[in-house]
Amino acid sequence: DDSVSENSDGSDDSGSDDSAGSATVRGSDSSDEITAIADAASEVAEGDAVDIDAKRDGSWEVTLETADGDESEVRVASDGTARVIETEDAGSDDRGPEHVLDADTIDALVKAALSDTPGTVLELDSGDGSTPYDVTVLSADGTTVDLELDQEFTIAARDTDD
């Protein structure tokens, strides 16, 4: 079983130990690559991408949500293969996503985030907070920057972690 469980803080348990002795590249600075990851996830589960999260092992976890509110978690390996790791039927109070991460949105979010904070995108998220989009960037100096973007893809708030 090569599944990776997720901690309550959103990190995974895959660890940073790399048996080959080299660090795994985490995240991406390419909207085309992130769009391909979302597309790979969409090939194995129904719904629209609402969250795309880079994992320490070089894979990505993509959350897809249907118009009815059903959710699927899909793991996309670094070679592009995708598999469903969890599905959840919508509850009576669930509804479909307000904002989705389609190709145009991913491109606009990546451009805005990396123009503000050069580095690699670790996560794109839509819909849960006070702004429609959140992007997490790992900067070249190793700091993690959480950016909140509004509907026009303008940076509305920033939080930097060391």
Side-chain angles (χ1 to χ4, degrees), residues 54-72:
K55 297 301 180 184
R56 284 181 263 169
D57 65 357
S59 68
W60 293 76
E61 190 168 293
V62 180
T63 303
L64 301 171
E65 201 171 312
T66 67
D68 294 332
D70 297 336
E71 282 190 12
S72 295

Side-chain angles (χ1 to χ4, degrees), residues 23-136:
T24 301
V25 175
R26 185 169 173 218
S28 178
D29 62 359
S30 166
S31 60
D32 289 339
E33 180 181 4
I34 297 171
T35 297
I37 290 161
D39 290 344
S42 294
E43 290 178 15
V44 298
E46 291 185 33
D48 295 306
V50 295
D51 184 68
I52 305 170
D53 186 14
K55 297 301 180 184
R56 284 181 263 169
D57 65 357
S59 68
W60 293 76
E61 190 168 293
V62 180
T63 303
L64 301 171
E65 201 171 312
T66 67
D68 294 332
D70 297 336
E71 282 190 12
S72 295
E73 297 290 330
V74 176
R75 183 64 55 119
V76 180
S78 58
D79 68 1
T81 58
R83 66 183 173 85
V84 177
I85 57 174
E86 183 179 359
T87 58
E88 185 178 313
D89 292 336
S92 61
D93 60 344
D94 286 336
R95 58 181 173 24
E98 279 186 56
H99 305 282
V100 298
L101 300 172
D102 59 22
D104 291 338
T105 301
I106 291 169
D107 187 54
L109 290 170
V110 169
K111 283 180 181 174
L114 296 182
S115 291
D116 179 84
T117 307
T120 59
V121 173
L122 298 179
E123 183 175 15
L124 300 169
D125 184 31
S126 67
D128 289 7
S130 59
T131 58
Y133 305 104
D134 296 315
V135 179
T136 302

Side-chain angles (χ1 to χ4, degrees), residues 131-156:
T131 58
Y133 305 104
D134 296 315
V135 179
T136 302
V137 177
L138 178 63
S139 67
D141 68 3
T143 58
T144 303
V145 180
D146 295 315
L147 303 167
E148 294 182 20
L149 291 89
D150 63 20
Q151 190 70 33
E152 288 79 36
F153 309 110
T154 303
I155 307 294

